[in-house]
Amino acid sequence: MERVATGISHRWGVLAVVCVSALIINVDNTILNVALPTLVRDLHASSSELQWIVDSYAMVFGGLLLVGGSLADRLGRKRFFLIGLAVFAGDP
C-alpha cells in the first residue's frame, strides 16, 4: 500500500512543478504585454510593430521549446528543467 501512496504523492509533486512552470510562462507573457505601452512611448512603435514584437516573442519561445524538448530527451528531463528554471530565474 505504501507504493501506491508514494506514486500518488509523486504525481502531485510533478503536477505542482508543471503548474509553477506554466505560471512562470504566463507571468513572463504578462510582463511583455504590460511593457507594450512603454515600447510605444519610447520607441514610437506602431500597432503593426507591436504585433511583430508579440509574434516574434511567441515564435522564438516555440522554437526554443522544440530545441529544449530535444535536449531534455538527450540530457535528462529533470536536469534540463532545473537548468532552464535557473537560467530563467537568474535573468535580470
Side-chain angles (χ1 to χ4, degrees):
M1 202 62 159
E2 278 183 44
R3 187 174 184 158
V4 173
T6 304
I8 290 172
S9 65
H10 178 70
R11 288 181 183 173
W12 281 107
V14 170
L15 178 63
V17 168
V18 170
C19 287
V20 168
S21 302
L23 176 69
I24 290 171
I25 291 167
N26 285 326
V27 167
D28 191 39
N29 211 358
T30 301
I31 291 169
L32 174 66
N33 287 320
V34 168
L36 291 177
T38 305
L39 293 172
V40 169
R41 186 180 63 241
D42 293 347
L43 302 176
H44 308 291
S46 66
S47 60
S48 173
E49 292 168 335
L50 289 177
Q51 189 64 45
W52 272 102
I53 291 168
V54 172
D55 288 345
S56 62
Y57 179 83
M59 192 167 27
V60 168
F61 180 77
L64 289 175
L65 191 63
L66 291 172
V67 171
S70 177
L71 287 173
D73 287 342
R74 294 179 185 166
L75 301 176
R77 289 179 181 94
K78 182 178 179 179
R79 180 186 315 160
F80 194 74
F81 178 74
L82 293 174
I83 291 169
L85 278 180
V87 168
F88 183 79
D91 190 34

